[in-house]
Amino acid sequence: MPLSPELIAALRTPPQDWERFLVVADRLQLEGDPRGELIMLQAQRLERGDSPERRAGEAAYIQKHDRALLGKLWKTPTVFSLDWELGFIRDARLSTHDLARRHVEKLSKLTRELLELESSALLETLTFAVPRQQGVETQALLDALVEVARVGPPTLRALCVRDLAHEYRDDDPYEIFSIPPWAPRNVRELVWRGRPLRVETDAFPLDAVADLLGAWEPI
């Protein structure tokens, strides 16, 4: 059963008190939603302290329940790199690396599906990884940014369009990104949906990204 808009709004209200999330976790567990157990696991880490064992347990749980947690996106693990906190995605990185060999026009569709996912209701940072040598069409990226402007959550505080290097780890099913040390940093601070938003890019004109965000009202 989906979370109500009122409950999501309450969870979005700072500060992010983990005890508030435990109340939601109880309800989700009763409904058979695996995000309830994930909230419990991550709240225990916040309460009792971080450890490699707890991190590994969370990663294994997410991988086991990726279909329920990610909806339509569960089949595209190499396209996304996701960081979770208290049962919700807080940091998402979308790479066009795999899309270049198939249909890059899927970029906007994947962006919309990510942002409409209930697990993304508290998303704070979104990064598009667009390697320059890949030759991704400008229109495909523009369409994806329009989706951010249309349906991005008000919790979004950083939007990055970067020419990123790619790294892979055998122990991680998702792709890891790193910023090359030579990459320039073009940054602008905006007010978007009543909150500060940091826009950072070295792979796309900064003014174009800022103008797109300002041109669309949320739906």
Side-chain angles (χ1 to χ4, degrees):
M1 186 174 181
L3 299 179
S4 68
E6 293 78 16
L7 184 54
I8 291 177
L11 292 176
R12 286 172 172 169
T13 304
Q16 295 287 305
D17 185 352
W18 58 266
E19 293 181 347
R20 187 193 315 170
F21 283 78
L22 290 180
V23 176
V24 178
D26 288 338
R27 169 187 162 182
L28 292 175
Q29 286 181 307
L30 289 174
E31 296 173 351
D33 188 327
R35 191 166 57 245
E37 179 66 21
L38 180 58
I39 293 174
M40 297 290 291
L41 289 171
Q42 296 186 316
Q44 288 175 5
R45 175 167 51 83
L46 293 175
E47 181 183 14
R48 301 174 186 176
D50 202 353
S51 72
E53 293 77 17
R54 290 196 175 100
R55 291 278 184 179
E58 292 173 18
Y61 185 86
I62 291 170
Q63 187 173 2
K64 179 180 179 180
H65 297 280
D66 57 357
R67 186 167 187 169
L69 293 169
L70 295 175
K72 299 176 183 178
L73 300 179
W74 76 278
K75 292 183 178 181
T76 58
T78 62
V79 176
F80 290 98
S81 178
L82 307 172
D83 292 337
W84 299 73
E85 181 181 331
L86 292 173
F88 291 85
I89 301 168
R90 305 306 180 100
D91 187 337
R93 295 167 293 280
L94 174 55
S95 172
T96 61
H97 179 69
D98 283 354
L99 294 178
R101 293 191 297 272
R102 297 195 290 274
H103 304 292
V104 74
E105 63 268 18
K106 289 184 177 179
L107 185 61
S108 62
K109 179 176 181 290
L110 289 171
T111 301
R112 182 175 64 256
E113 290 177 349
L114 170 69
L115 296 174
E116 291 179 344
L117 194 66
E118 190 170 77
S119 293
S120 299
L122 306 183
L123 185 68
E124 297 177 359
T125 304
L126 176 60
T127 298
F128 290 95
V130 187
R132 287 194 182 97
Q133 68 271 21
Q134 195 178 61
V136 174
E137 294 182 5
T138 300
Q139 190 59 51
L141 184 54
L142 279 171
D143 291 343
L145 291 171
V146 166
E147 294 300 333
V148 177
R150 291 179 62 245
V151 298
T155 52
L156 193 66
R157 58 181 177 80
L159 173 64
C160 305
V161 185
R162 304 305 305 267
D163 176 21
L164 301 188
H166 296 80
E167 301 175 355
Y168 300 91
R169 288 207 315 254
D170 293 338
D171 61 339
D172 194 324
Y174 299 109
E175 193 168 2
I176 307 300
F177 304 106
S178 63
I179 301 175
W182 61 85
R185 300 184 63 183
N186 302 309
V187 180
R188 178 181 293 182
E189 299 287 343
L190 306 176
V191 176
W192 185 66
R193 301 196 180 182
R195 300 190 184 191
L197 175 67
R198 178 184 177 89
V199 178
E200 182 174 336
T201 177
D202 60 11
F204 201 76
L206 181 62
D207 289 345
V209 178
D211 291 345
L212 270 175
L213 291 173
W216 287 84
E217 293 294 331
I219 60 173

